[in-house]
């Protein structure tokens, strides 16, 4: 895989421990121990999100912190293959739901119930999704393969890292959505337009935006948030091309460049719609709970800020 130049984990750990200390103080008067801490982490594709998540888990579980940590990926909450096929068939003209990825293609009921079990420290099995199933269309693995946590003979989970490309996205009002879509349609009339939103029907993006409202309950449960942002979201194309080229070298197979571009195209309209609000902060009226890394095209950190 391409090297990720900057190690962001130390800054994340300091930020997380400060937020965790405030979390503990907030619950200091409670009769029961404080609830586990939920950290949301969003990174554009190819930004090094998975690398950072692994480093955070290793450091949090090691001395001197010794914090039991679980990683949840929003990818593991995709709809089962049969349900995804039914969704696609029910909206045949909407390219955004013909494959997994966009809001509306996740099992929100399962996501909420998993969060609630973790929050109350009840035993729960963490879902797993096999992206290679059905020739790459993907499917949920059998529940017998899921990792079980908070069992009677297990240490209770202290920190949950919830990561994914659309974690933290919040839906737009109908007026905001139409305004952004109309501007993109106008920009699409010009040769310089590099986005995808302006090539879609309003009905298609409205379906995804309406589905995203269901995710708010989960987003509201997050105690802190880390965003690995790109100075220009168009960098995601180059980063994913680099990743896939590395996979082809290592495994001898993988998506072609054309397939990679088509794959990213399916996600890109959401970046156009929701990145602006994500950069402003997902906790309106609350300061200090979000850390933002801005990366240049070389993946080096150009700026870090707490908002």
């Amino acid at each position: 895989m391409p090297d990720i130049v900057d190690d962001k984990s130390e800054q994340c750990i300091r930020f997380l421990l400060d937020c965790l200390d405030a979390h503990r103080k907030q619950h200091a008067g409670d009769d029961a121990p404080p609830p586990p801490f939920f950290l949301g982490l969003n990174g554009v594709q190819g930004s090094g999100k998975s690398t950072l998540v692994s480093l955070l888990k290793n450091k949090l579980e090691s001395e001197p912190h010794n914090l039991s940590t679980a990683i949840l990926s929003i990818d593991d909450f995709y709809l089962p293959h049969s349900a995804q096929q039914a969704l696609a068939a029910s909206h045949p003209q909407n390219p955004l739901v013909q494959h997994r990825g966009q809001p509306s293609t996740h099992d929100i009921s399962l996501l909420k119930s998993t969060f609630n079990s973790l929050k109350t420290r009840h035993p729960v099995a963490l879902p797993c999704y096999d992206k290679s199933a059905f020739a790459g269309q993907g499917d949920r693995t059998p529940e017998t393969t899921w990792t079980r946590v908070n069992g009677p003979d297990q240490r209770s989970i202290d920190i949950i890292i919830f990561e994914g490309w659309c974690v933290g996205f919040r839906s737009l009002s109908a007026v905001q959505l139409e305004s952004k879509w109309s501007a993109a349609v106008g920009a699409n009339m010009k040769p310089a337009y590099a986005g995808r939103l302006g090539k879609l029907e309003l009905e298609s993006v409205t379906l995804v935006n309406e589905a995203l409202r269901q995710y708010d309950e989960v987003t509201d449960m997050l105690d802190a948030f880390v965003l690995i942002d790109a100075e220009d979201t168009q960098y995601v194309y180059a980063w994913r091309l680099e990743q896939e080229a590395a996979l082809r070298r290592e495994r001898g197979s993988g998506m072609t460049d054309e397939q990679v571009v088509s794959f990213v195209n399916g996600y890109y309209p959401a970046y156009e719609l929701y990145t602006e609000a994500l950069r402003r902060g997902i906790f309106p009226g609350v300061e200090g709970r979000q850390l933002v890394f801005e990366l240049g095209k070389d993946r080096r950190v150009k700026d870090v800020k707490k908002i």
Side-chain angles (χ1 to χ4, degrees):
M1 300 295 288
D3 291 335
I4 304 302
V5 177
D6 296 329
D7 178 9
K8 311 167 195 70
S9 62
E10 287 301 326
Q11 289 167 298
C12 282
I13 290 288
R14 290 195 297 270
F15 166 73
L16 179 54
L17 292 177
D18 285 345
C19 292
L20 183 58
D21 184 55
H23 175 76
R24 287 169 171 164
K25 289 177 180 176
Q26 178 185 351
H27 294 277
D30 297 353
D31 295 331
F37 189 92
F38 288 82
L39 173 70
L41 195 148
N42 179 304
V44 296
Q45 295 159 325
S47 64
K49 172 171 47 63
S50 298
T51 301
L52 176 58
V53 168
S54 296
L55 286 170
L56 288 178
K57 178 176 170 62
N58 290 337
K59 291 186 178 185
L60 289 168
E61 293 193 326
S62 302
E63 295 285 351
H65 311 301
N66 296 315
L67 295 165
S68 179
T69 304
I71 295 173
L72 285 183
S73 172
I74 199 168
D75 289 357
D76 286 323
F77 291 88
Y78 281 131
L79 294 169
H81 181 259
S82 58
Q84 174 58 51
Q85 293 294 98
L87 175 65
S90 66
H91 301 280
Q93 304 305 315
N94 189 336
L96 297 177
V97 297
Q98 296 309 303
H99 49 77
R100 68 178 189 266
Q102 291 283 348
S104 74
T105 65
H106 301 95
D107 187 336
I108 297 301
S109 295
L110 178 62
L111 181 56
K112 290 178 180 178
S113 66
T114 303
F115 260 58
N116 285 324
S117 293
L118 289 167
K119 190 175 183 68
T120 54
R121 299 186 185 274
H122 283 106
V124 64
L126 306 182
C128 183
Y129 191 88
D130 179 6
K131 295 180 180 179
S132 68
F134 289 96
Q137 293 180 19
D139 197 10
R140 187 176 297 165
T141 66
E143 191 169 345
T144 54
T145 68
W146 299 1
T147 300
R148 303 197 71 84
V149 299
N150 288 345
D153 299 322
Q154 294 175 301
R155 181 180 169 188
S156 180
I157 298 297
D158 299 310
I159 294 180
I160 297 95
I161 302 175
F162 180 48
E163 61 88 9
W165 80 278
C166 63
V167 169
F169 283 0
R170 289 191 183 273
S171 61
L172 302 173
S173 70
V175 172
Q176 291 172 320
L177 182 73
E178 186 163 0
S179 175
K180 282 183 172 289
W181 174 79
S182 296
V185 170
N188 187 44
M189 305 299 291
K190 302 174 183 177
Y193 179 65
R196 302 298 302 178
L197 179 61
K199 303 178 186 298
L200 297 170
E201 298 294 329
L202 179 59
E203 182 180 358
S204 294
V205 294
T206 297
L207 175 69
V208 169
N209 190 65
E210 289 298 319
L212 189 56
R213 299 192 195 285
Q214 302 176 50
Y215 295 56
D216 283 347
E217 184 178 329
V218 172
T219 303
D220 290 341
M221 292 176 70
L222 300 177
D223 297 295
F225 189 72
V226 172
L227 171 62
I228 310 175
D229 193 14
E231 181 183 32
D232 182 342
T233 51
Q234 281 285 318
Y235 295 163
V236 68
Y237 285 94
W239 293 348
R240 282 295 288 118
L241 286 165
E242 289 174 11
Q243 280 187 325
E244 202 65 29
L247 284 173
R248 289 197 300 267
R249 289 194 298 270
E250 293 169 9
R251 302 178 183 176
S253 63
M255 289 190 287
T256 65
D257 286 354
E258 292 77 13
Q259 289 172 324
V260 171
V261 171
S262 177
F263 176 79
V264 176
N265 283 346
Y267 290 82
Y268 201 80
Y271 291 135
E272 295 176 80
L273 287 171
Y274 305 115
T275 298
E276 182 182 351
L278 206 64
R279 288 168 175 167
R280 289 198 303 266
I282 70 166
F283 305 112
V286 180
E287 295 183 356
R289 289 171 54 191
Q290 178 165 324
L291 189 67
V292 180
F293 294 93
E294 183 184 271
L295 308 188
K297 192 171 185 179
D298 59 1
R299 290 190 179 82
R300 291 185 182 275
V301 176
K302 297 190 68 173
D303 189 28
V304 184
K305 58 185 176 183
K306 185 161 66 171
I307 58 177

